[in-house]
């Protein structure tokens, strides 16, 4: 019975099994690819260049991209435009209606147990790094580039891009936007619809929001992913 339940839990991946097989053997060493650690659902490939690295123990289905997790968003899988390097340090789940776009010589690092429920937009032209146990809510975007420079009156120009670093045990609520040159400490909750930019100087176990980046509640609150289930009473 346990085997049957496990097969049913992965039944969604059989629809695109050939795409998953191709993707694994395209990017991973043969010994890793045989285990099919990366499973894709409804993938659309705009570019399959660059490289992918899995750090640590490799297991079947440890990385799931595009699976239908939230029904109110389109069940459109994931769009991949890959030209840089992606590093997975453990389990990773990115839900439906998501998009990853990377430039040559860019790098995305996913820490262990990364979860994004749906409609994630990752635009990496420099470097984006997520710590361990990061949870990203619906409809969030991370972009480390402005796609343009700003010219100043004195003739100097802005750089136009810079890294994004997200700390461990972070919960990012729905509708947030992370811009270039952003550093977020560990154990932070980011309030819904926040625009986050710069070095966020908040103590751990805080809730932060926009206008400006202030600690809304700095009283020891954070998301404990081990025990975060709500019990609803009627």
């Amino acid at each position: 019975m346990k085997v049957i339940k496990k097969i049913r839990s992965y039944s969604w991946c059989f629809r695109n099994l050939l795409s998953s097989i191709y993707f694994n053997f395209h990017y991973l060493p043969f010994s890793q690819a045989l285990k099919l650690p990366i499973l894709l659902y409804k993938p659309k490939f705009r570019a399959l260049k660059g490289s992918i690295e899995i750090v640590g123990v490799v297991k079947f289905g440890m990385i799931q991209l595009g699976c239908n997790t939230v029904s109110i968003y389109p069940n459109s899988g994931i769009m991949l435009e890959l030209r840089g390097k992606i590093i997975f340090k453990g389990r990773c789940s990115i839900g439906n209606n998501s998009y990853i776009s990377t430039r040559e010589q860019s790098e995305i690092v996913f820490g262990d147990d990364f979860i994004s429920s749906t409609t994630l937009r990752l635009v990496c032209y420099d470097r984006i790094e997520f710590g361990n146990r990061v949870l990203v809510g619906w409809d969030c975007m991370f972009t480390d580039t402005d796609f343009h420079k700003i010219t100043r009156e004195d003739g100097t120009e802005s750089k136009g891009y810079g890294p994004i670093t997200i700390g461990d045990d972070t919960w990012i609520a729905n509708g947030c936007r992370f811009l270039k040159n952003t550093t977020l400490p560990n154990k932070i909750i980011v309030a819904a619809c926040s625009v986050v930019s710069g070095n966020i100087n908040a103590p751990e176990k805080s809730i932060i929001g926009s206008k400006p980046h202030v600690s809304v509640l700095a009283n020891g609150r954070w998301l404990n992913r081990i025990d975060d289930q709500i019990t609803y009473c009627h």
Side-chain angles (χ1 to χ4, degrees), residues 8-23:
R8 286 179 178 174
S9 68
Y10 285 100
S11 60
W12 58 269
C13 76
F14 296 136
R15 173 175 176 173
N16 300 104
L17 187 58
L18 291 179
S19 295
S20 295
I21 292 172
Y22 172 77
F23 192 84

Side-chain angles (χ1 to χ4, degrees), residues 132-134 166-171 184-190 202-208 217 220-224:
N132 297 322
R133 298 171 300 279
V134 171
I166 308 299
D168 297 338
D169 298 297
T170 296
W171 177 21
L184 198 65
N186 297 331
K187 296 183 179 179
I188 296 293
I189 296 175
V190 182
E204 291 188 2
K205 300 182 180 179
S206 297
I207 301 174
I208 69 164
L217 286 171
R221 300 188 183 190
W222 63 293
L223 177 69
N224 182 0

Side-chain angles (χ1 to χ4, degrees), residues 69 100 110 117:
T69 57
I100 300 177
F110 293 100
S117 52

